[in-house]
Amino acid sequence: MSENDSKPPQPAQPAVPEAHEVDTYHVPKAFFSKGTGKAHLRDLDHYHELYKHSIEDPHAFWAKLARELLTFDRDFQTVHSGSLTTGDNAWFVEGRLNASYNCVDRHAFKNPNKAAIIYEADEPSEGRTITYGELLREVCRLAYVLQRMGVKKGDTVAIYLPMIPEAIIAFLAITRIGAIHSVVFAGFSSDSLKDRVIDARSKVVITADEGKRGGKLVGTKKIVDEALKKCPDVKHCLVYRRTGTEVPWTEGRDFWWHEEVEKWPNYIAPESMNSEDPLFLLYTSGSTGKPKGVMHTTAGYLVGAAATGKYVFDIHDDDVFFCGGDVGWITGHTYVVYAPLLLGVASVVFEGTPAYPNFSRYWEVIDKHNVSQFYVAPTALRLLKRAGDEHIKSEMNNLRVLGSVGEPIAAEVWKWYHEKVGKEEAHIVDTYWQTETGSHVITPLAGITSTKPGSASLPFFGIEPAIIDPVSGEEMKGNDVEGVLAFKQPWPSMARTVWGAHKRYMDTYLNVYKGFYFTGDGAGRDHEGYYWIRGRVDDVVNVSGHRLSTAEIEAALIESPLVAEAAVVGVNDELTGQAVNAFVALKDPGSQDNEQTKKDLIVQVRKSIGPFAAPKAVFVVPDLPKTRSGKIMRRILRKILSGEEDSLGDTSTLSDPAVVDKIIERVHAVR
Ligand code: 6R9
């Protein structure tokens, strides 16, 4: 093993691309012939000017933006207190406001007939549109129900719902009465749901009878029933009728949504909250097994959502915003719910999958609703690219921004997105951020920032990135550096704590490098100050003292025209400490699964990175284990390789749990 084991490992060198290796793309001219024809900022100089101001005088910068983007019941005097060292950051300190008022009421009063939610159901013919006026009534009715069930300010309510408008109504009803939402992705198993309900001490669970996705039914209520057997503190379960199927019923605990909302008025006043009152918890996995309940607070989080919505996606009043992420993850929280609704535009809520009823679904939705901004994870793009360009028949004339999120996007996928989906008329924004950052932190601004495929480009306002040498722990100044990514200044939408485990929060994010927020990602800053995210440093392989980013080896493998997707993990090796093992899914499964293909791929990595990075073994598999939000579960691959197939942990969140057995089969066949 190598020099330092206490600090996070270092990504491989050299990784910052040379100037001549990368194409720079300017904002497509056609961007300005769509929408209002103008971005919110003038040009890149304007960005630099504002960015400088945001770093040198963050108080003045954020105070102005917060007052511009949010409506406070009571103004704040102190913009920020606390520090990254002491872990007590607070923003807009004396302010009071309500999240649901900011997302709904103020738009409903002005424009009651404007579309707020465009529900695109799993079956293309079954959707509906909800206006801001209707949304206000729906939110109020549900808020009343929750209040009558005994939910009080500061209580936690769990949401376990599919991607239907009622999920958004639930978010807003909970915040309306000052409660804290804790959304659990409806793909989680009953055990995972139970753990999250117990940790958050949720009093009420909101769910549906069944879910419907990709033409398949999901027994949502059954999963909740199973979980609630071990959650004695949950007194009420509110059930939305989505499919009308018969479901088991626990008298006194279970209530139908549609029956309860009939009982109460269509208006209830929003609870005035302090800026720093918790808005929500969202559980995310860390390097250890137990998920962390990341806590966000009201004003700071909302400012981050609105500011990035406005500047990163260039949202204007008449836009239709379509984020394909699920509300069970942070992307859905910030960019299906909060950003579009805070800015008063229509948000598309998509219940289905990109492959149902066929691979044209996204593109048809974009056409049908005149979507102006589309936002999705590269994993979906890889799937659609692999399916073939003939599925892109839609014109998508209104589309001017295409977003990417969640993982590095390979240059070839980026280019496909740009050429085939955007028809070279839309601006691509590769947005880097985390559950913990609340909103985008490194990202291009639509209509403003020139981009390089594979780079998340430049920091958002108020974000001061630092590249740290993980060996010395020192910041590496200047350009052309590679290390781990941290932030030097607090920003409004940063998570404030891990629920019930503040020490864990400090140790994970703030104590690793004193005075910095540590992201856990490796990154490089190139000769122009553009950032290249390398992936988690906890997914790092160490071969003979060389620390390699799995993401980098994967990128090398994907350069091969044969490879559709790749995942790299480190396995213990007597000789070299760790050895690289690669799993690849081929574009044309079947035909090229032979020794020569594997040799070619090893040569590819040797050529692309260096001999030390060459995989010791390559496994050709039909597909990789991925969560539904697109993250490759390398943990599962590692366990399979080390023969721990009996302790794979929770595989219920995989988009296709059956793939695990197929991989095990392949590994056994080769060994
Ligand atoms: C928003 C979200 C966070 C981790 C993060 C990083 C990876 C996110 C990325 C990206 C490269 C991007 N990540 N965006 N890597 N380029 N544009 O995904 O939050 O689920 O908490 O994951 O995802 O590794 O640290 P979350």
Side-chain angles (χ1 to χ4, degrees):
M1 295 291 284
S2 73
E3 341 55 77
N4 64 318
D5 285 314
S6 56
K7 293 283 182 193
Q10 187 178 23
Q13 300 266 6
V16 179
E18 300 288 332
H20 62 269
E21 290 174 354
V22 191
D23 305 323
T24 298
Y25 287 69
H26 300 291
V27 182
K29 281 210 174 63
F31 175 94
F32 300 103
S33 64
K34 303 182 183 202
T36 61
K38 247 173 56 191
H40 286 293
L41 298 184
R42 275 191 320 273
D43 52 18
L44 198 59
D45 287 342
H46 192 186
Y47 156 78
H48 283 301
E49 204 179 287
L50 280 178
Y51 176 72
K52 189 161 179 278
H53 175 52
S54 76
I55 297 301
E56 288 173 357
D57 193 354
H59 290 192
F61 179 86
W62 287 114
K64 179 163 180 285
L65 214 51
R67 290 185 178 114
E68 219 172 86
L69 294 170
L70 301 182
T71 305
F72 284 85
D73 314 337
R74 188 177 81 191
D75 196 15
F76 52 88
Q77 285 96 51
T78 310
V79 182
H80 172 253
S81 69
S83 74
L84 290 178
T85 317
T86 45
D88 52 353
N89 290 284
W91 287 87
F92 317 112
V93 186
E94 302 82 359
R96 299 194 75 84
L97 75 167
N98 179 280
S100 96
Y101 177 88
N102 273 272
C103 289
V104 190
D105 303 40
R106 53 183 187 155
H107 312 306
F109 298 153
K110 250 204 272 172
N111 283 317
N113 297 326
K114 189 173 177 184
I117 294 175
I118 298 175
Y119 169 42
E120 178 68 29
D122 193 46
E123 293 301 332
S125 55
E126 285 176 7
R128 71 180 196 275
T129 295
I130 298 173
T131 64
Y132 274 98
E134 288 163 347
L135 184 60
L136 177 56
R137 288 189 286 278
E138 296 290 333
V139 167
C140 284
R141 278 146 48 105
L142 186 67
Y144 233 118
V145 171
L146 294 172
Q147 196 196 53
R148 301 321 301 168
M149 282 182 165
V151 177
K152 296 195 182 55
K153 181 174 172 174
D155 286 346
T156 310
V157 176
I159 297 178
Y160 188 78
L161 279 170
M163 281 292 288
I164 52 178
E166 287 67 27
I168 288 88
I169 293 167
F171 271 66
L172 298 166
I174 293 167
T175 64
R176 192 163 190 89
I177 58 173
I180 304 165
H181 56 74
S182 172
V183 184
V184 180
F185 172 59
F188 272 117
S189 63
S190 61
D191 260 0
S192 310
L193 172 62
K194 173 206 71 181
D195 291 344
R196 286 159 176 77
V197 165
I198 291 175
D199 190 80
R201 298 206 188 140
S202 294
K203 281 197 161 167
V204 172
V205 177
I206 306 179
T207 189
D209 51 357
E210 281 185 313
K212 204 157 177 270
R213 205 166 170 268
K216 297 194 189 98
L217 296 170
V218 186
T220 313
K221 171 73 162 51
K222 271 199 207 119
I223 299 169
V224 173
D225 282 337
E226 199 52 43
L228 291 191
K229 280 185 191 160
K230 295 173 206 134
C231 302
D233 293 340
V234 173
K235 299 286 180 264
H236 296 101
C237 178
L238 191 67
V239 188
Y240 178 76
R241 186 182 266 167
R242 166 65 185 88
T243 65
T245 188
E246 283 271 319
V247 286
W249 208 249
T250 305
E251 278 312 321
R253 185 197 71 187
D254 297 349
F255 295 87
W256 284 113
W257 173 310
H258 62 274
E259 287 176 3
E260 294 309 303
V261 296
E262 299 273 286
K263 299 177 183 167
W264 308 106
N266 289 355
Y267 182 80
I268 183 171
E271 181 82 36
S272 184
M273 305 299 286
N274 186 278
S275 293
E276 279 299 320
D277 279 332
L279 180 66
F280 67 85
L281 308 181
L282 181 57
Y283 285 82
T284 185
S285 38
S287 39
T288 66
K290 195 177 177 313
K292 297 179 280 217
V294 171
M295 184 189 96
H296 282 285
T297 58
T298 308
Y301 171 82
L302 295 178
V303 170
T308 51
K310 177 170 177 180
Y311 293 107
V312 174
F313 292 121
D314 191 46
I315 292 179
H316 286 76
D317 286 347
D318 293 328
D319 284 340
V320 175
F321 190 83
F322 177 12
C323 166
D326 192 285
V327 292
W329 309 112
I330 192 67
T331 300
H333 277 63
T334 309
Y335 299 105
V336 173
V337 185
Y338 287 108
L341 297 185
L342 284 167
L343 296 170
V345 300
S347 178
V348 175
V349 173
F350 179 46
E351 188 179 24
T353 76
Y356 182 80
N358 54 54
F359 291 111
S360 304
R361 187 67 195 275
Y362 273 160
W363 322 133
E364 280 167 7
V365 172
I366 291 171
D367 249 3
K368 178 168 158 196
H369 301 297
N370 250 330
V371 167
S372 38
Q373 289 94 348
F374 176 60
Y375 191 34
V376 80
T379 184
L381 299 175
R382 289 193 296 264
L383 174 86
L384 295 168
K385 179 171 183 287
R386 192 165 155 182
D389 299 346
E390 67 274 16
H391 299 285
I392 314 178
K393 292 179 285 259
S394 306
E395 298 203 339
M396 302 184 272
N397 283 330
N398 212 28
L399 203 53
R400 64 178 205 283
V401 184
L402 289 172
S404 173
V405 59
E407 44 172 338
I409 178 167
E412 56 156 34
V413 177
W414 194 104
K415 287 179 187 163
W416 176 83
Y417 202 22
H418 176 64
E419 286 162 19
K420 303 294 182 211
V421 179
K423 306 181 185 357
E424 304 189 5
E425 295 188 351
H427 194 184
I428 304 233
V429 292
D430 174 3
T431 61
Y432 166 77
W433 61 296
Q434 311 174 299
T435 304
E436 297 87 340
T437 67
S439 52
H440 304 143
V441 282
I442 295 183
T443 175
L445 306 186
I448 300 297
T449 315
S450 297
T451 48
K452 309 179 189 188
S455 165
S457 80
L458 301 172
F460 189 68
F461 302 129
I463 300 295
E464 196 179 10
I467 301 288
I468 293 182
D469 176 349
V471 177
S472 65
E474 295 297 318
E475 183 183 352
M476 299 158 88
K477 300 262 168 73
N479 286 345
D480 265 321
V481 287
E482 183 89 26
V484 295
L485 180 64
F487 301 131
K488 276 201 229 190
Q489 292 197 17
W491 64 100
S493 70
M494 67 181 291
R496 303 294 193 261
T497 194
V498 171
W499 195 240
H502 194 68
K503 181 169 185 303
R504 189 168 174 203
Y505 169 84
M506 294 301 292
D507 289 347
T508 310
Y509 308 109
L510 304 186
N511 288 341
V512 184
Y513 302 107
K514 266 289 172 206
F516 294 86
Y517 167 89
F518 176 51
T519 62
D521 282 303
R525 184 166 53 222
D526 74 11
H527 60 287
E528 289 177 321
Y530 274 53
Y531 289 85
W532 297 76
I533 308 299
R534 303 293 172 211
R536 306 288 309 186
V537 286
D538 25 25
D539 279 334
V540 156
V541 193
N542 186 326
V543 183
S544 307
H546 296 291
R547 286 168 182 242
L548 301 167
S549 153
T550 54
E552 200 186 346
I553 303 172
E554 287 161 10
L557 289 165
I558 288 172
E559 278 171 32
S560 158
L562 302 178
V563 174
E565 287 193 295
V568 165
V569 294
V571 289
N572 291 340
D573 186 277
E574 270 181 21
L575 209 60
T576 55
Q578 278 188 306
V580 171
N581 276 212
F583 290 82
V584 294
L586 300 180
K587 281 185 184 152
D588 178 9
S591 65
Q592 303 123 334
D593 180 8
N594 57 35
E595 284 313 307
Q596 193 54 45
T597 307
K598 293 178 188 173
K599 277 190 195 139
D600 291 350
L601 293 177
I602 290 170
V603 170
Q604 168 94 30
V605 178
R606 289 175 73 98
K607 269 214 294 238
S608 180
I609 304 172
F612 57 87
K616 191 166 180 191
V618 177
F619 301 99
V620 177
V621 292
D623 205 348
L624 298 173
K626 277 168 291 180
T627 63
R628 296 220 316 230
S629 70
K631 300 250 182 326
I632 296 171
M633 298 286 279
R634 294 180 183 75
R635 175 175 61 79
I636 290 177
L637 297 173
R638 252 182 245 123
K639 292 243 174 181
I640 292 175
L641 286 176
S642 56
E644 296 169 68
E645 295 151 15
D646 294 333
S647 57
L648 292 180
D650 186 3
T651 54
S652 66
T653 59
L654 295 179
S655 62
D656 175 18
V659 79
V660 173
D661 284 334
K662 293 183 198 151
I663 296 173
I664 292 174
E665 222 175 80
R666 287 294 172 97
V667 170
H668 284 188
V670 171
R671 282 181 163 177

